[in-house]
Amino acid sequence: MAKKRVVTTTINDRQVEFLCQPRQTLLESLRDVLNMTGTKEGCTNGNCGACTVLMDGRPVDSCLVLAVEAEGANLETIEGVAPSDGLDPIQTAFLENAALQCGICTPGFIMATKALLESNPHPTEDEIRFYLAGNLCRCTGYDKIVRAVLDAAESREEVNV
């Protein structure tokens, strides 16, 4: 058995230190060690995007990232999206457009959408479909999700005016 490692990282603007096995994934550490169960486990092989988190501002499948790779990184998870006084415009748009059903894929879609809108505040429908291609949904279909992202972009623009 390999010796556990100490990982110091920032998660949702909070410095965090945890122990993990060298082979343990970031997903396992978030859910099992840090009790942050908002990030969902879907496929465990990087195909579904349910476990998407932002690592230094970029979306990653946390099932493919070793927890030790998070040393010194800035992580954002679904738990850090909503402000203290309500929901983020992305979350509101997903609710209002019925872009969720069972909820397994939703945190990953929201995190990927957050990264998309931070890099491209005015995406086209084609750009949204291309950017979210790594996230799979088995329940809602993608049209509602795409509409939610378009609405979120519009809502974020109104807030920033």
Side-chain angles (χ1 to χ4, degrees), residues 127-155:
E127 290 170 328
I128 292 167
R129 288 183 184 278
F130 181 81
Y131 198 90
L132 298 181
N135 293 76
L136 302 179
C137 175
R138 301 285 186 224
C139 300
T140 62
Y142 297 95
D143 288 329
K144 292 178 182 180
I145 293 168
V146 171
R147 271 188 244 121
V149 177
L150 288 167
D151 283 357
E154 188 177 309
S155 295

Side-chain angles (χ1 to χ4, degrees), residues 24 33 45 72 100:
Q24 196 168 15
V33 176
N45 61 17
L100 50 100

Side-chain angles (χ1 to χ4, degrees), residues 81-116:
V81 172
S84 60
D85 62 345
L87 296 176
D88 183 89
I90 297 169
Q91 293 169 309
T92 300
F94 269 70
L95 284 171
E96 290 176 352
N97 284 278
L100 50 100
Q101 281 186 15
C102 81
I104 296 297
C105 69
T106 306
F109 270 107
I110 289 173
M111 296 311 296
T113 298
K114 186 174 191 313
L116 168 61

